[in-house]
Amino acid sequence: MDLISRISQHFGDSAQTKLDAVELLAAPIAQAAEMMVASLVSNGRILACGNGGSAADAQHFAAELVGRFEMERQGLAAIALTTDTSIMTAVANDYGYPAVFERQVRALGQSNDVLLAISTSGHSPSIIEAIRAAHDNEMSVVALTGKGGGKVGEILRDTDVHICVPAERTARIQEVHLLTVHCLC
């Protein structure tokens, strides 16, 4: 396959994955947006976390809320738990990497806040621990996953929102996650 054909295939696969997901994901994305708006209106915050590309998505989400997304408006309270290297490295060193988001959620999260937890596979220990901490703090959780949802899907409560991309390829899942982040904004 030549390079142009391969690139064209990526575009086609990405578009098809999004089209295949829209019917399944539109309702939970709307539910998550309503949950986040309710939190923000009641002076809550949205804490976002993920690893690797999902960390970038968490940061992108927080930047769009604090800054602006497609229109001028007041900044909205969002924190990416992926950005403070001193906290992350201290916690990872002292408690192990699975605690890097959990410790921040326990310290910062309050009952009217929402945790946006992003894990492509649904098996990330640091995301699982963050969700457990959010539940302990009586926070709502919006989880973005793929590949069937993994362990994350198993520990979510009925009051949480699970946005599970119906795909197996990491790149396609991440592309739908980014679109979802824009929908939530």
Side-chain angles (χ1 to χ4, degrees):
M1 178 182 295
D2 68 21
L3 191 54
I4 299 297
S5 297
R6 186 170 179 172
I7 291 167
S8 296
Q9 185 67 47
H10 280 296
F11 270 80
D13 291 348
S14 180
Q16 191 59 56
T17 301
K18 290 170 185 157
L19 291 171
D20 291 344
V22 67
E23 189 172 322
L24 179 67
L25 299 184
I29 292 170
Q31 182 183 2
E34 290 170 351
M35 176 188 289
M36 290 177 175
V37 167
S39 172
L40 293 167
V41 166
S42 66
N43 293 317
R45 297 170 297 182
I46 302 168
L47 309 179
C49 60
N51 295 289
S54 298
D57 289 342
Q59 290 170 216
H60 184 143
F61 175 77
E64 298 288 17
L65 288 190
V66 173
R68 66 171 184 220
F69 182 73
E70 297 188 340
M71 62 185 223
E72 284 298 325
R73 57 157 170 73
Q74 73 177 31
L76 303 172
I79 302 167
L81 303 179
T82 56
T83 60
D84 191 323
T85 55
S86 295
I87 289 174
M88 290 186 68
T89 57
V91 170
N93 186 63
D94 295 347
Y95 300 98
Y97 191 81
V100 296
F101 304 129
E102 175 259 338
R103 294 286 294 186
Q104 293 182 77
V105 170
R106 289 191 191 285
L108 301 171
Q110 299 177 12
S111 62
N112 62 336
D113 294 341
V114 174
L115 176 67
L116 175 62
I118 309 171
S119 174
T120 303
S121 69
H123 292 295
S124 173
S126 62
I127 299 303
I128 291 165
E129 293 306 316
I131 292 169
R132 288 185 173 135
H135 287 157
D136 289 347
N137 281 9
E138 299 179 11
M139 296 169 60
S140 299
V141 175
V142 173
L144 273 61
T145 67
K147 301 182 182 183
K151 178 78 172 173
V152 166
E154 295 171 10
I155 66 169
L156 293 174
R157 295 180 175 166
D158 291 340
T159 55
D160 296 329
V161 179
H162 190 191
I163 300 167
C164 182
V165 178
E168 294 296 318
R169 288 186 62 197
T170 298
R172 301 295 85 88
I173 295 165
Q174 290 175 332
E175 290 159 1
V176 176
H177 282 177
L178 180 56
L179 178 57
T180 299
V181 162
H182 285 158
C183 290
L184 292 172
C185 291

